Amino acid sequence: MRVPFGWLQEFINPGISVEKTAHLLTMSGLEVEALETDGEDVVLVINVTPNRADCLSILGIARELSVLTGAPLKLPAPPAGEAGPAGITVEIRNTELCRRYAGRVIRNARTGPGPEWMAKRLEACGLRPINNIVDVTNYVLLELGHPLHAFDLNTLKGGRIVVDTADKVYRKIKTLDGVERKLPAGALVIADAEGPVALAGIMGGASTEVEESTRDIFLEAAWFEPRNIRKTARALGLSTESSYRFERGADIGIIPLALERASLLIEDLAGGPGTVIRDGGVDVYPVKYAPPTIEVRTSRVNRILGAEIEEDEMLRILSRLGFAVNSSDGLIRTSPPSFRLDVEGEADVIEEVARIYGYDRIPAALPSSTLSADGAGSREDFIRLVGGAIRKSGYSEAVNYSFMNPRALENLSLSPNDLRRNAVVLLNPLKTEESLLRTTIVPSLIENLKHNRERGLKNIRLAETARVFIREREGELPREPLKLAGIAVQQKTHSFWRDAAEDFYLAKGAVEALLDELRIKDRHFTPSGEPFLHPGKSADLVAGGRKCGYVGVLSPAAAEKFEIREKEEITVFELDLDVLFDLLPPPTVYRPVPKFPYIERDIAIVVADGIKADDVIRYIKNYPSEFIEEAAVFDLYKGEKVPAGKKSMAFNIRYRAGDRTLTEDEIEVIHSGLVKDLLVHTGGSLRA
Amino acid sequence: MGGVNIRKSFLQELGPVRTISGLELLRVRYLGKKGILTAELKKLGGLPPEERRSAGALLNESKVFIETELAARRQELKELELREKFASQAIDVTLPGRYTRPGRTHPVIRVMREITGIFVAMGFSVEEGPEVELDYYNFEALNIPKEHPAREMQDTFYVSPDIVLRTHTSPVQVRVMQRKKPPVKFIAPGKVYRCDADISHTPMFHQIEGFMVADDITFSHLKAVLESFLHRIFSPDVPVRFRPSYFPFTEPSAEVDIGCIFCKGTGCRTCKGTGWIEILGSGMVHPHVLEMVGYDSRIYSGFAFGIGMERVAMLKYSIDDIRLFFENDLRFLGQF
């Protein structure tokens, strides 16, 4: 709401500067967002919250200011006299949706351009001047907050006005903006003897528009039910100054005043010899305003606020706000004025008292609260642990929108029955590329990688923890599993104090470091079938017997589909954090550290390429000897010194007994047996 | 040879010795069984008793002298040897250390964790709720029926007429109250969505919902809890003010401002010249919201608040463009 200070001063002389006025309004709930200079005047730009329809006018702001400063409010003159019969009949067929319909017939007006001063004020408030009659209705709308509509009387057919909802008879209307509109079901219309002439409370019809030639006018002021107006306005995608006010709740009590004010202005601005502004009036008011009586205990006010406001002060505040009040024994009975439809119950009254009393006067005191043993909760701790572990492996935490481009699913070559195809679709996305909710985080990270690459960054590691969304049944909420995904690319450097490893192992290392951090030991990796990964450089993580993620090099085909130009291998991983959370082990049960030393043996074997290190280690660990404590691979070699199609792998095996120091002789027997059996099992040979 | 001469010749010979082995040879030459000094000591027996005494004393002095000198030189040479060994082993200590450069925490996540920590320390628990939410929880149960003008305050993404992307973290209030009996006291951090994108709005951002309901909670408590929080997250001397506002699910409602941390209240571009910056929305839980979940609003009362993480992060780190948070540019992320 834009309020020129000069206009405001026609209703109140606050006796304070515009800055002080802005501060007072802001601190009572009418936030002044800016003070704009407009020629000689200053415009207060006020953010009026949806509950305060009463403040969508100069009068409303002045009224509020009067409460805050005590300065008297200067109201426009009440109607000077009764108008005679209008010669127009009004029939309200739905008195719930239209509780009052009043009008005034004005004859022999001279339609033409409005005066400069009025045009300037309309423009300062964001409205476009049209002609003196329409300008007057807009001016009164801004000034008093009540929307009016002017019909060209001579275009209204049959001398009657019917207020009714759209039905078989009333199906469409051509509105003032020249658009032919189909009336939505339940829309309230104003009709004459032949059909709809206005969309009630939203916009007039083109056929009855006031034009330069208009002489006789029917001026309408009515009260329409907020929800109905909003529903129709939304259905039509139409929001006007009028609908904006009706859907927030107009003041049914101000209707006579608004008609009088507009009539007098028309007389002033469009009048001349023969102009009659009281040719006839109608006021059909079937549902009288009946304010609720709200009971509020003064002790309750202070109990909710944590304040000690005297009953007298509460009563004073409410009366100044225009509420009817009476009280006895600490119980206040109060009724809001007709312009305060937002006040319905005790809580609303408490807020009124508090905001005029001043929030800053209510003391601040920490609650002497009950202690809570809940703390952050283990899931919150878990997510922090995951973030810390992944950062240690060099991954920075990324945050992306939860949206996904439908093309991403194609780029990933997901099979038709892949769950990740069951994406949630938005009805009103901002753009097609953001029309799905993510079922995987990886496409977002690929875009991040490209963004960084384009800006010259060579070494990139990004990880994101976020929920993805898997659609299950129609009409039900989707599943929202929590995922951790990462992407990495690095420039190959052959620096003497660094060593190079396959990028795959760096990514896998990050995953393993995370699993170590989480103490999840029951895990292994098997070749992955993810369609967007390099089939020879990818693995699924199996933990607790379930697949809960993958790690691998993005396949060249996928990289191409995502339009990645660089040749470096890009590694990605994505883990199901909900599953990992469930796999978190109970607290460690301490075992005594070994008292006796171990004996180590190294062994290098030449085996076929297809033999996996993991298989060998598992074979060793499962070998029937109680003394085998640990086995680990420490070298892998392929090249000239081993035959083609084969590789050499070196393992370190650690033997230990729990109750004594093993002898070399004892170990020799077991170890040579193990080597012999291992060679048979793997079909390999000892490396010379 | 007399004691004095022995010392002189020993010192002459010691001068050029630069190795431990050379030193050992010199020791044998003077102090060994057939050494010069040993020979002189043997001669003492042939001297008359009155001479023997003084000559003997002199020789013994020389012996101590030689031993001391030898030990001192040995120490010197040992140190020298060690220095040379260290010099030959020296590496360029200015080369970077070997480590995996740790990744950085996203500023929004950082702020979210910090705020969560502050409230957990105040005894709040942490709750979660779905991001794709029923219209019922996002609006209706929060006193925002269909066709309510307040729906315009939040542009909503729809999945179906009854399912939305949550526009705020407030639906978690309702879900928690449905599950727990009062008193409840929790925060709910998470993502929220608005169908809106321009210089100052992104379609997704992060909020923390705060909620506390018991049989004695007042607006005064709300003020103190939020003041303590804002003093901890910004600075202990930042001014805080509460002004009336409107949220359908709180009554009374309050918008909370802090004194502009850039201009210290004198007025600048960030605070649009007002000296104040809007930081969060709050209020006393509306009785309708309590009644909807079966809490007796005559007994229980409480407060709720919602804080935008991006806004806090922008103020805390002087970030002037909200879109930076979602580009994931490592030159940006690397700074936190």
Side-chain angles (χ1 to χ4, degrees), chain A residues 577-638:
Chain A
L577 291 183
D578 292 328
V579 178
L580 294 184
F581 180 70
D582 289 340
L583 289 174
L584 286 179
T588 299
V589 177
Y590 156 81
R591 279 169 306 152
V593 294
K595 287 197 186 69
F596 300 95
Y598 59 80
I599 292 176
E600 278 183 313
R601 287 287 185 275
D602 289 348
I603 166 180
I605 56 173
V606 176
V607 292
D609 256 347
I611 301 285
K612 300 268 182 277
D614 211 29
D615 299 336
V616 177
I617 286 173
R618 228 176 305 166
Y619 182 82
I620 297 172
K621 283 187 172 171
N622 292 334
Y623 195 72
S625 161
E626 53 176 316
F627 301 129
I628 295 174
E629 184 184 73
E630 192 55 75
V633 62
F634 70 90
D635 194 26
L636 172 73
Y637 175 78
K638 274 165 118 170

Side-chain angles (χ1 to χ4, degrees), chain B residues 74-147:
Chain B
R74 178 182 295 272
Q75 188 57 35
E76 248 172 63
L77 290 177
K78 259 190 168 167
E79 278 168 18
L80 184 72
E81 200 171 284
L82 206 58
R83 272 203 300 279
E84 279 167 359
K85 191 173 160 196
F86 284 159
S88 72
Q89 292 174 341
I91 53 169
D92 182 353
V93 296
T94 65
L95 279 177
R98 264 182 68 142
Y99 73 116
T100 302
R101 181 185 293 257
R104 311 301 304 177
T105 304
H106 192 286
V108 168
I109 308 265
R110 183 176 283 273
V111 162
M112 194 138 92
R113 287 182 184 147
E114 187 180 348
I115 295 178
T116 302
I118 291 171
F119 283 107
V120 166
M122 284 198 240
F124 286 74
S125 64
V126 180
E127 299 283 352
E128 289 182 83
E131 291 173 29
V132 182
E133 186 54 286
L134 293 173
D135 182 282
Y136 176 80
Y137 286 104
N138 195 72
F139 292 121
E140 300 210 11
L142 291 167
N143 207 24
I144 317 174
K146 289 215 159 76
E147 310 308 336

Side-chain angles (χ1 to χ4, degrees), chain A residues 27 230 300 303-304 351 359 362-363 365 369 379 391 396-397 399-400 402 427-428 452 455 467 480, chain B residues 103-104 128-129 131-132 152 156 158 185 193 218-221 223 244 251 253 297 301 328 330-331:
Chain A
M27 294 311 286
R230 183 175 158 77
R300 173 78 179 169
R303 147 78 182 77
I304 292 293
E351 178 173 78
Y359 281 8
I362 297 170
S369 135
R379 202 169 137 94
R391 285 199 307 278
S396 285
E397 286 173 297
V399 176
N400 284 288
S402 304
L427 292 180
N428 55 336
N452 279 291
R455 280 150 189 83
R467 296 187 194 167
E480 300 188 7
Chain B
R104 311 301 304 177
E128 289 182 83
E131 291 173 29
V132 182
E152 237 160 62
T156 311
Y158 282 88
K185 184 181 181 187
Y193 303 84
T218 69
F219 187 81
S220 171
H221 296 145
K223 282 186 73 173
E251 190 90 41
S253 301
S297 68
S301 62
N328 299 303
L330 281 163
R331 295 166 302 175

Side-chain angles (χ1 to χ4, degrees), chain A residues 376 380 384 391 397, chain B residues 105-122 124 126 187 189 208 228-236 305 307 309 312-317 336:
Chain A
E380 174 74 13
R384 281 185 196 225
R391 285 199 307 278
E397 286 173 297
Chain B
T105 304
H106 192 286
V108 168
I109 308 265
R110 183 176 283 273
V111 162
M112 194 138 92
R113 287 182 184 147
E114 187 180 348
I115 295 178
T116 302
I118 291 171
F119 283 107
V120 166
M122 284 198 240
F124 286 74
V126 180
I187 56 163
I208 284 191
S228 317
F229 155 69
L230 289 167
H231 287 158
R232 280 199 58 186
I233 191 88
F234 289 109
S235 80
F305 56 86
I307 315 165
M309 295 300 98
V312 174
M314 287 174 84
L315 292 173
K316 213 171 152 70
Y317 305 120
F336 299 95

Side-chain angles (χ1 to χ4, degrees), chain A residues 127-140:
Chain A
L127 290 185
R128 200 164 43 89
I130 300 189
N131 59 48
N132 51 4
I133 307 297
V134 176
D135 289 359
V136 162
T137 60
N138 281 333
Y139 190 83
V140 173

Side-chain angles (χ1 to χ4, degrees), chain A residues 492-500, chain B residues 95-96 98:
Chain A
K492 288 274 174 280
T493 50
H494 294 289
S495 221
F496 71 93
W497 83 102
R498 296 199 177 111
D499 47 16
Chain B
L95 279 177
R98 264 182 68 142

